[in-house]
Amino acid sequence: MTAREPRVIVIGAGVAGITTAHVLRERGFTDVTVLEKGSDVGGVWYWNHYPGLRCDVPSQIYQFGFAPKPDWRDTWATGAMIQRYHRDVVDRLGLAPLIRLDTEVIAAEWDEHRHWTLTTAAGQRLVADFVVCATGVLHHPFIPDIPGLADFTGPVVHTARWDDELDTDGKRIAVIGTGSTGVQVVSALQPRAASIGHYVRSAQWILWAPMWLRQLPGAAAVLARFPKLHRALYRLMALGGSALLTDVTTRESWRRRAVQGYARACLRIQVRDKALRAKLQPGYQPLCKRQVVSGSYYRAIRAGNAELITDGIADVTARGIRTADGTHRDTDVIVLATGFHAHNYMRPMRVIGRDRISIDDAWAKGPRAYRMTAIPGFPNLFTVLGPNSPTGSISLQYTSEVTARYIAQWLEKFRNNELTTVEVTEQATTRFNDDVATAMSPTVWNTGCNSWYLTEGGAVDLWPFDRATMDAMLGSPDPADFHLG
Ligand code: NAP
């Protein structure tokens, strides 16, 4: 029989989508289209451009294994630099012709002809044999339902939709939320604000790191001159980084206690004022939430024009914010650093699978997938960075690549006429999710804090295993876990 070329549509051109496009092209697939709703590639790095945005993972690790960049200027790159890197990678690897920007997919339906029909916001219809959802995790901004917020007469801006025209200099600024974003934005806006009020509902542990450090002088030249050395170093750092992070997060050990001790020392050493320190002291273990890293937040919040406000917000008025103790603070600008709907994945896209089952119904009790990538009821559909992706431990670039290589193996079976449809079984998915639940028990994420890692049902939506387990689970498809047609 002759080979057939699968028509593949990848949704999203962020880290996961760029990786998938590269891997599929490298494996010789020629009918690959990437649909991206933004006006540029980069995903989270395209949408986020708030002041102070800087990746808190060192740049020599936070990059694609297949496109290492020797000449990062900073040890921890800014958001703008990372976004430029994504654009460069797409251009350099010749992926741009595969990508259609400004193309939002609003629906995907599987039909009896055994293919997917996708509908875009502009009403265009596209047909594919396989769909890969690379739609990201931290994508849909969460806007809190605070009484009176709509009545505020000044600007209200969510950090993930920052208005670059917004002038905050000399203004009285309120920042709500103290995740990684809130901490970065407060540190950046405080020096030039008239005043800054940081509204904190639950304090965060904040690890100190010298985020302003430049890459070692001469390092870029050496790494560029010796690409093999660069790749070896990248591999070493990525392996070491994920081994350490997996170790401290997934099992109780002296190493976990050492990192937690460091977090406690960071607060004790940097904040000498006992009253302020008490307000900054979280009531749960360090590392339980996504760890915040900053070299400047404690300095910013100690400044004369800064105030840490831990009384709950009662309401927002036309001119400011009133807290539960009755205090009203006049405010010019409200910044919502309130995070994301982290468990939407491809939704609100309308995804209709076999027997007209919708993804909302399939995930009524929370998102679930087999090994992060396959969903029962949805043949020929895969996710990259789907449910249980390791946002707390292993590099997302690495995970994307391993998952894309796994998907490519299924596509090869289609190309070789070994199958037309592939759908994971309910039993295999349940077995995987049971294993996840068991492995989650000794993790630090499960030690009693509220974080975006938790689904509405209270499950931790992360990867509780190590990198070797990921490699083994996604190394090659296990046909016994699938219905093949
Ligand atoms: P987040 O960690 O989910 O934090 C949201 C914050 O908003 C929390 O402090 C939350 O308080 C608060 N909040 C939500 N609703 C509220 C309300 N009604 N009243 C008062 N406070 C409210 O979101 P994020 O800071 O955007 O970070 C999300 C993730 O993005 C990070 O964990 C990280 O993975 C990623 N990120 C990475 C970087 C980087 O440098 N690599 C930078 C930024 C973000 P509670 O804790 O009480 O719920």
Side-chain angles (χ1 to χ4, degrees):
M1 254 196 258
T2 52
R4 332 168 261 187
E5 188 57 31
R7 295 164 293 179
V8 186
I9 291 184
V10 179
I11 307 174
V15 166
I18 294 171
T19 305
T20 307
H22 165 71
V23 167
L24 296 188
R25 231 221 357 209
E26 195 190 45
R27 294 290 179 106
F29 294 100
T30 54
D31 195 343
V32 178
T33 305
V34 182
L35 305 178
E36 165 56 55
K37 83 173 181 185
S39 301
D40 202 351
V41 301
V44 76
W45 298 103
Y46 163 76
W47 293 103
N48 283 269
H49 40 92
Y50 59 81
L53 175 59
R54 190 178 276 279
C55 186
D56 57 15
V57 179
S59 309
Q60 285 297 349
I61 303 179
Y62 196 89
Q63 55 182 339
F64 299 110
F66 53 83
K69 176 176 160 63
D71 57 348
W72 290 104
R73 189 195 68 180
D74 297 348
T75 305
W76 285 272
T78 63
M81 288 173 180
I82 297 170
Q83 173 57 358
R84 207 172 313 132
Y85 164 71
H86 287 134
R87 215 176 292 136
D88 288 350
V89 168
V90 164
D91 288 343
R92 194 151 37 90
L93 298 181
L95 298 174
L98 311 185
I99 301 172
R100 288 196 215 166
L101 300 172
D102 297 309
T103 308
E104 180 178 6
V105 179
I106 56 167
E109 296 190 34
W110 176 253
D111 63 34
E112 71 277 11
H113 303 299
R114 307 207 285 181
H115 58 226
W116 286 95
T117 302
L118 278 67
T119 310
T120 69
Q124 197 186 4
R125 283 174 170 258
L126 297 118
V127 173
D129 299 303
F130 288 88
V131 169
V132 180
C133 296
T135 43
V137 182
L138 302 169
H139 176 37
H140 301 283
F142 170 72
I143 310 290
D145 187 15
I146 301 175
L149 189 58
D151 303 328
F152 184 66
T153 49
V156 178
V157 62
H158 190 283
T159 46
R161 295 292 179 272
W162 191 260
D163 174 2
D164 292 327
E165 303 296 309
L166 182 66
D167 182 10
T168 55
D169 288 3
K171 299 279 175 14
R172 295 165 300 181
I173 306 167
V175 176
I176 303 176
T178 189
S180 305
T181 306
V183 162
Q184 290 185 341
V185 86
V186 165
S187 306
L189 297 183
Q190 174 273 321
R192 296 162 73 92
S195 66
I196 191 158
H198 192 192
Y199 292 79
V200 168
R201 185 167 65 181
S202 343
Q204 285 267 15
W205 291 105
I206 300 171
L207 287 189
W208 181 87
M211 309 276 290
W212 53 84
L213 264 191
R214 294 286 172 100
Q215 184 165 262
L216 282 180
V222 173
L223 297 177
R225 172 97 176 72
F226 302 104
K228 278 193 181 151
L229 171 73
H230 190 197
R231 279 174 200 277
L233 276 177
Y234 165 78
R235 208 176 137 64
L236 198 69
M237 285 186 294
L239 270 171
S242 65
L244 179 68
L245 265 180
T246 302
D247 184 59
V248 299
T249 53
T250 62
R251 43 188 166 263
E252 176 62 56
S253 71
W254 69 265
R255 286 173 294 276
R256 179 190 291 179
R257 287 192 292 279
V259 177
Q260 293 180 325
Y262 176 63
R264 294 190 173 95
C266 287
L267 175 60
R268 221 174 16 252
I269 293 166
Q270 291 179 80
V271 183
R272 308 305 296 171
D273 174 338
K274 282 193 178 154
L276 179 61
R277 197 193 307 157
K279 285 165 92 178
L280 286 165
Q281 177 88 38
Y284 54 86
Q285 291 191 32
L287 299 171
C288 182
K289 293 182 186 238
R290 160 59 157 83
Q291 186 56 54
V292 177
V293 183
S294 171
S296 49
Y297 175 75
Y298 287 137
R299 172 201 51 72
I301 203 65
R302 286 194 323 254
N305 65 343
E307 185 184 6
L308 180 73
I309 302 151
T310 51
D311 290 306
I313 297 173
D315 62 351
V316 175
T317 67
R319 289 184 306 105
I321 297 181
R322 190 174 8 245
T323 43
D325 62 348
T327 309
H328 184 275
R329 290 172 181 86
D330 285 349
T331 298
D332 300 317
V333 180
I334 296 180
V335 176
L336 301 176
T338 44
F340 300 85
H341 294 279
H343 310 286
N344 275 14
Y345 296 99
M346 69 290 269
R347 297 173 291 177
M349 192 194 301
R350 197 167 150 268
V351 183
I352 306 292
R354 182 177 45 75
D355 302 331
R356 307 290 304 158
I357 185 177
S358 76
I359 194 72
D360 283 331
D361 286 342
W363 283 358
K365 291 187 189 150
R368 68 197 273 272
Y370 166 88
R371 302 182 182 178
M372 307 181 281
T373 188
I375 308 164
F378 297 84
N380 292 20
L381 179 139
F382 294 97
T383 50
V384 178
L385 300 187
N388 293 110
S389 288
T391 40
S393 49
I394 302 166
S395 135
L396 294 181
Q397 288 84 355
Y398 181 79
T399 307
S400 300
E401 202 174 327
V402 172
T403 312
R405 292 191 189 288
Y406 173 84
I407 295 167
Q409 295 179 59
W410 283 118
L411 301 186
E412 271 157 12
K413 290 182 190 295
F414 178 98
R415 185 156 65 181
N416 298 336
N417 281 296
E418 291 169 43
L419 56 84
T420 298
T421 62
V422 48
E423 178 191 334
V424 70
T425 66
E426 185 61 46
Q427 297 88 314
T429 308
T430 302
R431 197 184 336 115
F432 170 74
N433 279 279
D434 287 349
D435 291 347
V436 166
T438 307
M440 207 57 86
S441 140
T443 68
V444 74
W445 310 306
N446 204 21
T447 52
C449 64
N450 179 28
S451 80
W452 65 260
Y453 291 160
L454 302 181
T455 64
E456 275 178 18
V460 184
D461 187 7
L462 288 178
W463 182 258
F465 311 113
D466 59 13
R467 197 167 126 147
T469 306
M470 181 187 290
D471 290 343
M473 282 194 185
L474 295 175
S476 58
D478 186 345
D481 289 344
F482 288 81
H483 301 294
L484 306 179

